[in-house]
PDB file of all heavy atoms in Angstrom:
ATOM      1  N   VAL U  34    -210.831 213.224-167.045  1.00  0.00           N
ATOM      2  CA  VAL U  34    -210.268 211.841-167.101  1.00  0.00           C
ATOM      3  C   VAL U  34    -209.901 211.446-168.504  1.00  0.00           C
ATOM      4  O   VAL U  34    -210.828 211.511-169.366  1.00  0.00           O
ATOM      5  CB  VAL U  34    -211.131 210.976-166.482  1.00  0.00           C
ATOM      6  CG1 VAL U  34    -210.533 209.611-166.447  1.00  0.00           C
ATOM      7  CG2 VAL U  34    -211.532 211.414-165.013  1.00  0.00           C
ATOM      8  N   ALA U  42    -206.198 197.526-174.172  1.00  0.00           N
ATOM      9  CA  ALA U  42    -205.984 198.873-173.535  1.00  0.00           C
ATOM     10  C   ALA U  42    -205.022 198.791-172.318  1.00  0.00           C
ATOM     11  O   ALA U  42    -204.276 199.663-172.087  1.00  0.00           O
ATOM     12  CB  ALA U  42    -207.304 199.346-173.022  1.00  0.00           C
ATOM     13  N   ALA U  54    -194.421 210.425-165.015  1.00  0.00           N
ATOM     14  CA  ALA U  54    -193.115 210.264-164.316  1.00  0.00           C
ATOM     15  C   ALA U  54    -193.224 209.308-163.282  1.00  0.00           C
ATOM     16  O   ALA U  54    -192.608 209.507-162.172  1.00  0.00           O
ATOM     17  CB  ALA U  54    -192.627 211.633-163.748  1.00  0.00           C
ATOM     18  N   ASP U  92    -206.768 193.097-150.493  1.00  0.00           N
ATOM     19  CA  ASP U  92    -207.574 192.742-149.411  1.00  0.00           C
ATOM     20  C   ASP U  92    -208.662 193.872-149.177  1.00  0.00           C
ATOM     21  O   ASP U  92    -209.092 193.934-148.086  1.00  0.00           O
ATOM     22  CB  ASP U  92    -206.787 192.395-148.181  1.00  0.00           C
ATOM     23  CG  ASP U  92    -207.481 191.366-147.376  1.00  0.00           C
ATOM     24  OD1 ASP U  92    -208.480 190.785-147.846  1.00  0.00           O
ATOM     25  OD2 ASP U  92    -207.038 191.128-146.227  1.00  0.00           O
ATOM     26  N   ARG U 103    -205.738 203.445-144.125  1.00  0.00           N
ATOM     27  CA  ARG U 103    -204.510 203.640-143.396  1.00  0.00           C
ATOM     28  C   ARG U 103    -203.440 202.585-143.667  1.00  0.00           C
ATOM     29  O   ARG U 103    -202.253 202.883-143.930  1.00  0.00           O
ATOM     30  CB  ARG U 103    -204.755 203.839-141.953  1.00  0.00           C
ATOM     31  CG  ARG U 103    -203.624 204.345-141.055  1.00  0.00           C
ATOM     32  CD  ARG U 103    -203.971 204.063-139.486  1.00  0.00           C
ATOM     33  NE  ARG U 103    -204.097 202.604-139.315  1.00  0.00           N
ATOM     34  CZ  ARG U 103    -204.783 202.109-138.258  1.00  0.00           C
ATOM     35  NH1 ARG U 103    -205.478 202.941-137.507  1.00  0.00           N
ATOM     36  NH2 ARG U 103    -204.898 200.838-138.122  1.00  0.00           N
ATOM     37  N   TYR U 109    -197.585 201.527-149.025  1.00  0.00           N
ATOM     38  CA  TYR U 109    -197.331 202.377-150.072  1.00  0.00           C
ATOM     39  C   TYR U 109    -196.011 203.142-149.728  1.00  0.00           C
ATOM     40  O   TYR U 109    -194.999 203.209-150.371  1.00  0.00           O
ATOM     41  CB  TYR U 109    -198.322 203.327-150.339  1.00  0.00           C
ATOM     42  CG  TYR U 109    -198.105 204.352-151.462  1.00  0.00           C
ATOM     43  CD1 TYR U 109    -198.669 204.216-152.738  1.00  0.00           C
ATOM     44  CD2 TYR U 109    -197.377 205.602-151.125  1.00  0.00           C
ATOM     45  CE1 TYR U 109    -198.425 205.191-153.698  1.00  0.00           C
ATOM     46  CE2 TYR U 109    -197.092 206.465-152.253  1.00  0.00           C
ATOM     47  CZ  TYR U 109    -197.583 206.275-153.451  1.00  0.00           C
ATOM     48  OH  TYR U 109    -197.395 207.260-154.431  1.00  0.00           O
ATOM     49  N   LYS U 113    -192.043 202.571-150.886  1.00  0.00           N
ATOM     50  CA  LYS U 113    -191.663 203.704-151.588  1.00  0.00           C
ATOM     51  C   LYS U 113    -192.340 203.729-152.956  1.00  0.00           C
ATOM     52  O   LYS U 113    -191.617 204.039-153.920  1.00  0.00           O
ATOM     53  CB  LYS U 113    -190.033 203.763-151.785  1.00  0.00           C
ATOM     54  CG  LYS U 113    -189.361 203.985-150.359  1.00  0.00           C
ATOM     55  CD  LYS U 113    -187.937 204.464-150.598  1.00  0.00           C
ATOM     56  CE  LYS U 113    -187.324 204.954-149.256  1.00  0.00           C
ATOM     57  NZ  LYS U 113    -187.601 204.113-148.108  1.00  0.00           N
ATOM     58  N   ILE U 246    -227.537 204.749-172.643  1.00  0.00           N
ATOM     59  CA  ILE U 246    -228.777 203.958-172.584  1.00  0.00           C
ATOM     60  C   ILE U 246    -228.865 203.079-173.803  1.00  0.00           C
ATOM     61  O   ILE U 246    -229.322 201.903-173.730  1.00  0.00           O
ATOM     62  CB  ILE U 246    -229.966 205.011-172.484  1.00  0.00           C
ATOM     63  CG1 ILE U 246    -229.995 205.732-171.094  1.00  0.00           C
ATOM     64  CG2 ILE U 246    -231.295 204.253-172.689  1.00  0.00           C
ATOM     65  CD1 ILE U 246    -230.866 206.861-170.970  1.00  0.00           C
ATOM     66  N   ARG U 266    -219.207 193.139-174.216  1.00  0.00           N
ATOM     67  CA  ARG U 266    -218.692 193.459-172.967  1.00  0.00           C
ATOM     68  C   ARG U 266    -218.103 194.919-172.978  1.00  0.00           C
ATOM     69  O   ARG U 266    -218.252 195.745-172.054  1.00  0.00           O
ATOM     70  CB  ARG U 266    -217.536 192.547-172.529  1.00  0.00           C
ATOM     71  CG  ARG U 266    -218.078 191.173-172.106  1.00  0.00           C
ATOM     72  CD  ARG U 266    -218.638 191.168-170.779  1.00  0.00           C
ATOM     73  NE  ARG U 266    -218.968 189.803-170.322  1.00  0.00           N
ATOM     74  CZ  ARG U 266    -219.592 189.505-169.164  1.00  0.00           C
ATOM     75  NH1 ARG U 266    -220.060 190.556-168.438  1.00  0.00           N
ATOM     76  NH2 ARG U 266    -219.973 188.250-168.829  1.00  0.00           N
ATOM     77  N   SER U 290    -231.694 207.558-153.917  1.00  0.00           N
ATOM     78  CA  SER U 290    -232.057 207.824-152.553  1.00  0.00           C
ATOM     79  C   SER U 290    -232.656 206.509-151.949  1.00  0.00           C
ATOM     80  O   SER U 290    -232.269 206.061-150.812  1.00  0.00           O
ATOM     81  CB  SER U 290    -233.140 208.905-152.421  1.00  0.00           C
ATOM     82  OG  SER U 290    -232.954 209.855-153.367  1.00  0.00           O
ATOM     83  N   GLY U 335    -235.102 201.883-180.104  1.00  0.00           N
ATOM     84  CA  GLY U 335    -234.745 202.008-181.519  1.00  0.00           C
ATOM     85  C   GLY U 335    -235.759 202.813-182.301  1.00  0.00           C
ATOM     86  O   GLY U 335    -236.814 202.949-181.799  1.00  0.00           O
ATOM     87  N   SER U 353    -242.329 200.683-169.939  1.00  0.00           N
ATOM     88  CA  SER U 353    -242.536 199.333-170.436  1.00  0.00           C
ATOM     89  C   SER U 353    -241.379 198.739-170.850  1.00  0.00           C
ATOM     90  O   SER U 353    -241.051 197.579-170.639  1.00  0.00           O
ATOM     91  CB  SER U 353    -243.655 199.251-171.444  1.00  0.00           C
ATOM     92  OG  SER U 353    -244.766 200.162-171.150  1.00  0.00           O
ATOM     93  N   ARG U 370    -237.312 191.897-159.241  1.00  0.00           N
ATOM     94  CA  ARG U 370    -238.044 193.023-159.661  1.00  0.00           C
ATOM     95  C   ARG U 370    -238.926 193.750-158.608  1.00  0.00           C
ATOM     96  O   ARG U 370    -239.247 194.784-158.793  1.00  0.00           O
ATOM     97  CB  ARG U 370    -238.944 192.664-160.838  1.00  0.00           C
ATOM     98  CG  ARG U 370    -238.243 192.098-162.102  1.00  0.00           C
ATOM     99  CD  ARG U 370    -239.099 191.224-162.962  1.00  0.00           C
ATOM    100  NE  ARG U 370    -239.543 190.044-162.151  1.00  0.00           N
ATOM    101  CZ  ARG U 370    -240.308 189.094-162.686  1.00  0.00           C
ATOM    102  NH1 ARG U 370    -240.675 189.139-164.021  1.00  0.00           N
ATOM    103  NH2 ARG U 370    -240.718 188.091-162.018  1.00  0.00           N
ATOM    104  N   GLN U 382    -240.020 196.845-142.893  1.00  0.00           N
ATOM    105  CA  GLN U 382    -238.762 197.800-142.918  1.00  0.00           C
ATOM    106  C   GLN U 382    -238.966 198.988-143.787  1.00  0.00           C
ATOM    107  O   GLN U 382    -238.203 199.784-143.893  1.00  0.00           O
ATOM    108  CB  GLN U 382    -237.595 196.869-143.540  1.00  0.00           C
ATOM    109  CG  GLN U 382    -237.026 195.926-142.528  1.00  0.00           C
ATOM    110  CD  GLN U 382    -235.823 195.030-143.195  1.00  0.00           C
ATOM    111  OE1 GLN U 382    -236.120 194.499-144.195  1.00  0.00           O
ATOM    112  NE2 GLN U 382    -234.747 195.086-142.524  1.00  0.00           N
ATOM    113  N   GLU U 388    -237.895 206.652-144.512  1.00  0.00           N
ATOM    114  CA  GLU U 388    -237.368 207.603-143.584  1.00  0.00           C
ATOM    115  C   GLU U 388    -235.874 207.977-143.943  1.00  0.00           C
ATOM    116  O   GLU U 388    -235.428 209.165-144.201  1.00  0.00           O
ATOM    117  CB  GLU U 388    -237.397 207.107-142.212  1.00  0.00           C
ATOM    118  CG  GLU U 388    -237.059 207.984-141.062  1.00  0.00           C
ATOM    119  CD  GLU U 388    -238.277 208.666-140.486  1.00  0.00           C
ATOM    120  OE1 GLU U 388    -239.345 207.883-140.479  1.00  0.00           O
ATOM    121  OE2 GLU U 388    -238.194 209.651-140.089  1.00  0.00           O
ATOM    122  N   ARG U 409    -242.829 206.343-149.055  1.00  0.00           N
ATOM    123  CA  ARG U 409    -243.545 205.059-148.577  1.00  0.00           C
ATOM    124  C   ARG U 409    -244.486 204.429-149.653  1.00  0.00           C
ATOM    125  O   ARG U 409    -244.402 203.272-149.911  1.00  0.00           O
ATOM    126  CB  ARG U 409    -244.287 205.463-147.206  1.00  0.00           C
ATOM    127  CG  ARG U 409    -244.921 204.280-146.570  1.00  0.00           C
ATOM    128  CD  ARG U 409    -243.787 203.412-146.041  1.00  0.00           C
ATOM    129  NE  ARG U 409    -244.318 202.193-145.318  1.00  0.00           N
ATOM    130  CZ  ARG U 409    -245.015 201.240-145.803  1.00  0.00           C
ATOM    131  NH1 ARG U 409    -245.156 201.171-147.131  1.00  0.00           N
ATOM    132  NH2 ARG U 409    -245.503 200.265-145.052  1.00  0.00           N
ATOM    133  N   ALA U 415    -243.233 199.080-154.942  1.00  0.00           N
ATOM    134  CA  ALA U 415    -242.075 198.136-155.352  1.00  0.00           C
ATOM    135  C   ALA U 415    -242.148 196.859-154.484  1.00  0.00           C
ATOM    136  O   ALA U 415    -241.280 195.976-154.726  1.00  0.00           O
ATOM    137  CB  ALA U 415    -240.900 198.982-155.054  1.00  0.00           C
TER     138      ALA U 415
END
Side-chain angles (χ1 to χ4, degrees):
Chain U
V34 179
D92 213 5
R103 189 194 60 206
Y109 178 103
K113 299 198 165 45
I246 292 166
R266 290 283 187 188
S290 324
S353 316
R370 295 158 299 183
Q382 285 177 311
E388 190 95 33
R409 187 62 179 73

